[in-house]
Structure formats: structure tokens, C-alpha cells
Amino acid sequence: MQPADIFTALFGEPAPFASGSQQVHSPIDGTLLGSLEPASPPVAQQAIAHAHAAFLQWRTVPPPVRGELVRELGLQLRAHKPALGALVTWESGKILSEGLGEVQEMIDICDFAVGLSRQLYGCTIASERTAHRMMETWHPLGVTGIITAFNFPVAVWAWNATLALVCGNSIVWKPSEKTPLTALACSRLLERAWAAFAAQHDLPAAQLWPGLHAVLPGGAEIGAVLAQSPQVPVLSATGSSRMGQQVGAQVAARFGRSILELGGNNAMIVTPSADLELAARAITFSAAGTAGQRCTTLRRLIVHRDISVQLTARLQHIYASIQVGHPLDPATLVGPLIDAEAFDAMQAALAQARREGGEVLCGGTRRTPVAGGWYAAPALVRMPAQTAVMQRETFAPILYLLEYDAFETAIALHNAVPQGLSSAIFTRDMQEAERFMSSAGSDCGIANVNIGTSGAEIGGAFGGEKATGGGREAGSDAWRSYMRRATNTINYGDSLPLAQGVRFDFADTAPSPQGSS
């Protein structure tokens, strides 16, 4: 699909973004996709105020009814999957299969959230006091701020937005400056979902929409407004560790809650017992897929010395066959980097690796399958040790190769970086697999066995430790981040015992309320 066809399917016109100071260019070939006017801090503050007003109404809607709005969103996504998936490709550069897969991930989280809307469980707690009951209940929190990155321009929003909506929250979204059009498309689909939803339910529409959801294209100044606003009790932010340090500090300064999904520097250990062909396939997708621009991209490969030569030769052969090209071409596996800055960062990392004793075995050079884009061949780099360049995340398709002898050394190398997002081991040895997943093994939020580091399903909580931020989104019990917990104690007896055996008896000669006339 061409941009005009995509815009017509999603917005009803072929060129909906024709004016504004913020220009959006496709990383595929530099095509101008549209121009729009970014939001200003006063506009952002007003959007937050409207979102707070909408929240005060939305929180009173029963959760299963709130889930019906998300169900309608899922229907809209199913109907518009081809167009939205193609727009993801045009705006972010990932191959069409991945663009469509990202929309499918949105559909999946909608299904999950609809079911969740009937399962926001609390618990009952045994009380030490006679005729007392304790329980925990969960309540909507308020405006949910969402800051997303270019590499997953719509799926990460859906992880947050669908859960926040069924939990009773309103949403203010600041998308990446590089991918605002997909955000506006999602907002349009949610608006259509709202129209279908409102027609079925007696709700104060004027007080709920459009305040229930707002998109604020713009730069870091908009993110700062979200981070500093006391009317945004929870802020989900996806980006670099440096960005997370700034946002997290601003949110913490006002005692807000952060859900941080930050940098990854992911590693895989390949042991002598591994199925090397299976490992090679997983390595290739994890390291080269999305042009190395996933937070879960495989960046460090730790291989046992006895199989290093064999596996390295196999990877070099596979890498030589990878087609780098136009992401709408079905034969393409690797599309463009997002921009020239990303390509320059890749070249700087490769130069540093060489200075630190590394050998570039293949790749790393610029390709020009399409004029106007920044394409690069995925690189394999053999390193003598885990040097400084391997301590940071370079958002590009570079895979560093290290050798190990003892399994304990492999675990130590794996964990000896600041980040802790995703990890994997390939082995047929049950002890190695269990040790890798144990408390003495991988220190990451995701630890896989015989699959790669990328391609997580929405059913599990997604996130990592250390400089990755500690946040969790999507499945499992991640919904709790969007709600506040209340502990309730109910006395259904006629006395007032105190906990821990405390006595507080006092003499009172005044008549009791029941005895007064």
C-alpha cells in the first residue's frame, strides 16, 4: 500500500497532514509522509486537565463495561490491520511482516484486556480479631501518561492504553517525534471504537470524549509536562536509559509512579549441547530483525569455545544471504535504520570495537537498495573480551561474539552489563537450563531457553531490571501498575478489639449515644 491509500483507509482522505512545522519523513526513502503542528506545553497541560475530568467519570463505569470499549478497539484494529501495519512500515522502516505483526500484537492485548476487565481481583485476608474481615481492593488511579519510542510506535501504546482503560484511567500519549502519524491513526481508530461503544451504553459522552484519550505530538518538552504534572499519577515511558533517568527523577520528585521500559543489552549463551541450527535461526532473527532496533535485540553472543568456529561460520554464511532492502518487498528481511544518526552511531560503535581489539567478520557497511534511506548490512564482530563498547546499547544490527570455557564464566559475562532486559540460553542440558533461569543465573526480566531474546508474547509481563528500569507492561499482573490498592478492614461485631493485643481502656462517665434521650 502507498501512503495515500493508507491515509484514505485510516483517515478518509489521501493527504490528511498537509501543514505544520513538524515534518515526518519515511526512513525507507526520505518521502515526506506529512506535516503537522506539534503540541505546546500549554496545550499539553490543557489535555491533562481534560483527561483528569474524563477520569472522574470513567472510573465510575463498571470494569466489564469499560472492557467493551477495548473490545470495539480490537474490532477496529482487525478491520484496519493491513493499512495500519503498512503505515507502521512506512513510518518506522520495519519490514511489512513485522508491521502487521505489531498490529496483531495490539489485537492480542485488546483480547487480553477485555478478559481482564472481569478479573481485577483483590483478595480476602484472615484477621486476628474476632468478627473482623480484611480484604484488598483495587481502584482506578487517574490519568495515565504514555511516552513511546519509534521502534514499536503502536504496540507499546496498546500495552498501556488497553490496560489503563479497563482499569478506569484516562490517557495522554506523547509518541516519538519520528512516528506521530501512526499514533494519530490509533487515536482515530479508538475514536471510531468510542462511537460504536457510546451508541450501546448510556454514558455522559460529552464529559468523557475526547478527554478520555489525547495524542500530543512533540518533543521532550511535552514529555517533561507529563513527567512533572501532579495530575498524571502514573507515567509509562519507553526509551533510552538516559531518558528514563530524567523522567523517573521528575516523576519521583512529585511522588508519582513510573513504568520504565528502557535500554536492553541482551545476550545469549550457546552451550556445547545446543542444537546449533536452531540456535543460528534464533540468533539471526534476534540480532538482525528490525534492523537491530528492538529493545530486545540480541547484541552479545557468548559461545562455548568448542563450538565457536562451527557456529561462527554458520552465522557468516546466513548473514551473507540476508536481503537488505525495501521493507515492502516480501524478500526483504532487514529494512532501513531510522535515520542517518542511527547509521553514524553504528559506524562509531564498529570503529570503537576495532580499537578495542575486535574483528568485524562481516557486514557493517552501508547498502543502497533504495535511494534516500540509511540501510546497513548486519554486522558480526568477534571480540577478545567484553570491552567498553559492549557495555552500552547501540541501536543497530551489531552482534558481538565472545567465547567461554566454564559455564560460570558465561553467566558472569552475561550479567556484567548495566542493562537487564532479555536473555536466552541454547542447551539440551537440563541443569544448565535450570541454572540459567535460577536466582543465580540470568539477572534479566526475561530469561528464555532454546528461543531467542526477541518476540515476546503479550501474556507475560514485559520488562527488565537494572538500567532497563524495572517496569512491567502487557500481561500477567502488570495491570496493577495502573491501579491503586486499598486494604479494607470490616468490623461486623459488637466490640472493638485492637490489633497486636493493644489495650486502650478508659473511664468515661458520659452517657453512650444509644443511652441518650
Side-chain angles (χ1 to χ4, degrees):
M1 297 178 73
Q2 294 301 304
D5 302 319
I6 295 169
F7 291 139
T8 299
L10 294 171
F11 296 96
E13 54 182 304
F17 307 104
S19 63
S21 59
Q22 182 177 341
Q23 294 188 332
V24 183
H25 293 270
S26 173
I28 295 174
D29 56 7
T31 294
L32 178 63
L33 297 175
S35 302
L36 65 157
E37 201 59 43
S40 64
V43 168
Q45 291 164 353
Q46 186 178 43
I48 292 170
H50 289 164
H52 179 71
F55 159 71
L56 297 178
Q57 298 293 324
W58 186 242
R59 66 182 177 179
T60 66
V61 177
V65 178
R66 298 194 296 249
E68 289 302 304
L69 173 58
V70 176
R71 185 192 305 277
E72 293 291 346
L73 174 60
L75 294 175
Q76 289 291 329
L77 290 169
R78 284 177 168 88
H80 295 87
K81 179 179 175 179
L84 185 57
L87 182 57
V88 169
T89 290
W90 274 102
E91 197 172 32
S92 72
K94 61 178 62 177
I95 62 174
L96 182 58
S97 175
E98 292 189 60
L100 294 170
E102 182 164 352
V103 181
Q104 184 59 49
E105 191 169 355
M106 301 172 75
I107 295 168
D108 294 343
I109 196 66
C110 283
D111 291 346
F112 178 90
V114 171
L116 176 67
S117 69
R118 294 180 181 271
Q119 301 177 73
L120 300 175
Y121 297 138
C123 65
T124 300
I125 305 165
S127 173
E128 66 186 65
R129 291 173 279 192
T130 302
H132 281 61
R133 179 170 64 86
M134 295 179 66
M135 66 179 185
E136 285 184 350
T137 52
W138 292 86
H139 303 282
L141 193 56
V143 179
T144 298
I146 304 174
I147 299 174
T148 54
F150 77 87
N151 59 330
F152 276 84
V154 292
V156 173
W157 166 78
W159 292 354
N160 287 275
T162 56
L163 268 60
L165 285 170
V166 300
C167 288
N169 299 342
S170 55
I171 298 161
V172 179
W173 178 16
K174 192 209 90 66
S176 167
E177 303 95 304
K178 299 172 184 178
T179 53
L181 304 185
T182 45
L184 293 168
C186 290
S187 187
R188 179 62 63 91
L189 295 180
L190 181 57
E191 184 177 358
R192 292 175 182 170
W194 172 264
F197 168 77
Q200 302 171 38
H201 300 278
D202 183 20
L203 295 172
Q207 299 177 45
L208 280 170
W209 192 268
L212 191 62
H213 183 268
V215 176
L216 299 174
E221 69 282 357
I222 303 301
V225 173
L226 289 171
Q228 295 166 13
S229 173
Q231 284 192 313
V232 182
V234 58
L235 177 60
S236 168
T238 301
S240 68
S241 296
R242 190 172 110 183
M243 180 274 284
Q245 286 179 319
Q246 297 170 347
V247 168
Q250 291 174 325
V251 175
R254 59 177 176 81
F255 301 105
R257 184 183 301 177
S258 296
I259 304 171
L260 299 177
E261 297 289 353
L262 309 176
N265 191 359
N266 314 294
M268 178 191 294
I269 298 171
V270 184
T271 73
S273 68
D275 181 328
L276 294 188
E277 189 57 31
L278 197 66
R281 293 180 63 84
I283 291 163
T284 303
F285 172 69
S286 295
T290 327
Q293 296 173 119
R294 291 189 181 215
C295 53
T296 54
T297 291
L298 179 63
R299 309 200 183 280
R300 298 175 297 132
L301 186 62
I302 304 168
V303 185
H304 193 277
R305 194 177 305 278
D306 290 349
I307 57 171
S308 177
V309 172
Q310 180 183 357
L311 181 58
T312 301
R314 180 64 179 136
L315 290 174
Q316 286 181 271
H317 178 77
I318 293 173
Y319 268 49
S321 69
I322 292 176
Q323 179 164 320
V324 178
H326 197 299
L328 291 176
D329 182 343
T332 294
L333 295 180
V334 175
L337 293 167
I338 190 65
D339 53 26
E341 183 179 354
F343 180 82
D344 290 343
M346 180 181 184
Q347 299 310 302
L350 291 173
Q352 181 179 348
R354 291 186 181 98
R355 292 194 300 271
E356 293 172 356
E359 177 188 2
V360 179
L361 301 177
C362 64
T365 55
R366 186 176 183 187
R367 298 284 182 85
T368 55
V370 183
W374 290 90
Y375 296 79
L380 287 173
V381 185
R382 181 188 287 122
M383 297 298 293
Q386 192 155 262
T387 63
V389 72
M390 296 179 65
Q391 292 293 314
R392 69 172 190 268
E393 176 187 49
T394 300
F395 231 49
I398 301 174
L399 180 60
Y400 301 106
L401 310 179
L402 287 173
E403 295 180 348
Y404 78 93
D405 292 303
F407 188 72
E408 292 75 13
T409 301
I411 294 291
L413 285 169
H414 177 280
N415 292 345
V417 294
Q419 308 83 0
L421 177 53
S422 189
S423 61
I425 186 171
F426 269 76
T427 181
R428 289 179 174 141
D429 186 315
M430 184 183 70
Q431 286 188 332
E432 289 178 336
E434 292 292 338
R435 287 166 67 188
F436 181 76
M437 292 185 293
S438 76
S439 58
S442 168
D443 62 0
C444 295
I446 300 169
N448 296 331
V449 176
N450 294 332
I451 67 168
T453 56
S454 283
E457 299 179 33
I458 59 91
F462 182 91
E465 304 301 325
K466 302 190 295 188
T468 302
R472 292 297 186 276
E473 295 170 337
S476 186
D477 64 350
W479 61 270
R480 296 185 177 191
S481 296
Y482 307 90
M483 304 194 83
R484 61 178 179 85
R485 184 198 321 238
T487 300
N488 314 119
T489 304
I490 302 96
N491 178 4
Y492 56 90
D494 297 321
S495 61
L496 193 67
L498 300 178
Q500 294 87 45
V502 172
R503 299 186 64 85
F504 197 78
D505 299 326
F506 56 91
D508 187 356
T509 59
S512 67
Q514 292 87 347
S516 60
S517 58

